[in-house]
Amino acid sequence: MIIVMKNDAPGGEIEQICEEMRDRGLTPEKIIGAHKVVIGLVGDTQELDPDHVQDVSPWIEQVIRVEKPYKRVSREFRHGQVSEVVVATPQGDVTFGQGHNIVVVAGPCSVEDEAMIIATAKQVKAAGASFLRGGAYKPRTSPYAFQGHGESALGLLAAARQASGLGIITEVMDAADLDKVAEVADVVQIGARNMHNFSLLKRVGAQDKPVLLKRGMSATIEEWLMAAEYILAAGNPNVILCERGIRTFDRQYARNTLDLSAVPVLQSLTHLPIMVDPSHGTGWAPYVPAMAKAAIAAGTDALMIEVHPNPSKALSDGPQSLTPDQFMALMQELAVVGNAMERWPQLATVS
Ligand code: PEP
Ligand code: MN
């Protein structure tokens, strides 16, 4: 249930309503917008009559029941106000959010060695990326495939962060590694295979770093939003949703089906920022530019693109990785679409 306050409702009145709701065993969450304050009520509101809540104060404009199974992530919970995820990086704050400039995250699938990760970081930064991605712990389908260099790769990401000034996004697969990952990462990634790992979701929800939540490869949008709800319910409001392709019947030409319709669908359902990953979405480098441009046209807030200095030698996901030169050329094309959408240059988001 949400309580929408009238414009310019006094702070003391809002506090009193929150207190009253606490007395009724509910947890009020205040969302302060440009003109209005909305109070989201979490807890068992089944028995609560919206008309009775309305009578609590003359400053209440409206009381609305949120019928969806997810609450905090729903668009209604913030009464239509979108949320921003502001990430502190060595170069300053970068803002992810609907209506902000597009943020680009780029880098190799896996961190392979120090020279490659630092060189790639500098190259993607020169092309205009704000974040370096790179896996230290890799969720591989085969137990015999390269599993990532683990903790030592985290050290290399820290070195690349320092050398380039880029923020770092890297995946945590196991709650036992979370503290180490969160120490280096500016944004902690939950991969597609762990979207349903509820205990891991609760753990990343209970720490402070923003979370990039990838869509499970067979997850419905509602399941994905419920996974995000776990993170918000555990206390962390800073979640970015990443569409990375889903499994459909045809895998002959593309690794996954990139569900770009998820972008406008999510915009209608949630206030959270949205990212699109055309690299895992297509699995094939020549298809990445078209889908990256389409994602911007569809309204994504961010892009994740795999870039490797020598894709044919990559230890994972070489076929879908762009070279640094290809990435540089792509960024120029993206700027054209980004400008048309009035969401470029992304440098404007770096303060
Ligand atoms: C990745 O980002 O490297 C990755 C493994 O992605 P996903 O979880 O989407 O497969
Ligand atoms: Mn990958």
Side-chain angles (χ1 to χ4, degrees):
M1 189 173 283
I2 64 167
I3 301 175
V4 183
M5 301 301 299
K6 289 184 179 158
N7 284 356
D8 308 316
E13 191 74 18
I14 295 167
E15 271 320 309
Q16 219 170 324
I17 297 169
C18 289
E19 205 43 55
E20 168 115 19
M21 294 303 128
R22 277 187 212 103
D23 289 347
R24 295 184 189 204
L26 300 169
T27 308
E29 286 184 13
K30 232 180 349 176
I31 298 141
I32 300 170
H35 304 292
K36 277 192 194 314
V37 172
V38 174
I39 305 170
L41 295 179
V42 182
D44 188 3
T45 54
Q46 286 294 20
E47 302 297 313
L48 210 55
D49 181 342
D51 288 340
H52 290 164
V53 178
Q54 178 87 46
D55 290 342
V56 167
S57 159
W59 285 98
I60 295 177
E61 183 175 282
Q62 215 185 345
V63 180
I64 308 168
R65 210 177 261 295
V66 179
E67 303 289 355
K68 304 227 166 64
Y70 46 87
K71 309 283 179 206
R72 290 172 166 93
V73 307
S74 73
R75 193 113 191 161
E76 293 94 316
F77 198 75
R78 295 178 65 94
H79 200 52
Q81 298 171 54
V82 295
S83 56
E84 292 174 346
V85 174
V86 182
V87 185
T89 76
Q91 299 183 97
D93 288 350
V94 180
T95 304
F96 292 82
Q98 298 175 24
H100 284 274
N101 287 330
I102 291 152
V103 178
V104 178
V105 179
C109 182
S110 307
V111 178
E112 297 178 6
D113 60 61
E114 183 164 5
M116 75 81 82
I117 196 67
I118 289 183
T120 310
K122 289 182 174 168
Q123 283 163 317
V124 299
K125 185 189 175 194
S130 308
F131 286 87
L132 176 70
R133 59 143 294 138
Y137 300 94
K138 293 305 304 176
R140 305 306 300 281
T141 305
S142 164
Y144 307 117
F146 174 58
Q147 303 286 305
H149 288 309
E151 200 169 343
S152 66
L154 293 176
L156 301 182
L157 284 170
R161 184 180 191 272
Q162 197 168 21
S164 66
L166 293 176
I168 299 292
I169 300 190
T170 194
E171 178 168 351
V172 63
M173 283 171 54
D174 187 327
D177 301 319
L178 179 57
D179 291 346
K180 280 180 288 187
V181 171
E183 208 173 297
V184 170
D186 298 287
V187 177
V188 174
Q189 177 172 324
I190 298 289
R193 292 156 190 81
N194 268 319
M195 190 211 84
H196 290 288
N197 184 341
F198 301 119
S199 57
L200 186 59
L201 297 176
K202 287 180 191 169
R203 288 292 303 275
V204 295
Q207 56 86 56
D208 290 336
K209 288 288 169 81
V211 177
L212 177 67
L213 178 64
K214 288 193 137 192
R215 180 180 185 178
M217 58 184 79
S218 300
T220 64
I221 286 185
E222 189 158 290
E223 287 165 344
W224 187 15
L225 290 173
M226 296 289 261
E229 185 82 12
Y230 265 95
I231 303 172
L232 271 77
N236 189 342
N238 294 311
V239 174
I240 303 157
L241 298 167
C242 180
E243 162 62 39
R244 47 75 72 201
I246 49 174
R247 279 208 175 159
T248 58
F249 54 88
D250 191 352
R251 301 189 74 204
Q252 196 174 356
Y253 302 110
R255 180 177 176 182
N256 290 298
T257 298
L258 186 64
D259 181 11
L260 284 183
S261 66
V263 176
V265 171
L266 288 172
Q267 283 174 343
S268 73
L269 297 176
T270 181
H271 52 82
L272 295 174
I274 303 162
M275 182 184 290
V276 171
D277 170 357
S279 303
H280 294 87
T282 62
W284 191 233
Y287 302 157
V288 169
M291 298 314 279
K293 285 181 272 187
I296 294 178
T300 192
D301 307 310
L303 285 168
M304 171 173 274
I305 296 176
E306 285 192 339
V307 177
H308 191 283
N310 189 353
S312 65
K313 292 277 184 337
L315 297 181
S316 58
D317 285 350
Q320 69 194 34
S321 299
L322 302 185
T323 64
D325 285 349
Q326 287 169 335
F327 177 66
M328 176 71 88
L330 173 60
M331 287 294 276
Q332 273 144 38
E333 289 182 46
L334 295 183
V336 177
V337 188
N339 272 324
M341 300 293 289
E342 298 183 350
R343 299 187 71 181
W344 206 269
Q346 65 164 124
L347 287 180
T349 62
V350 179
S351 57

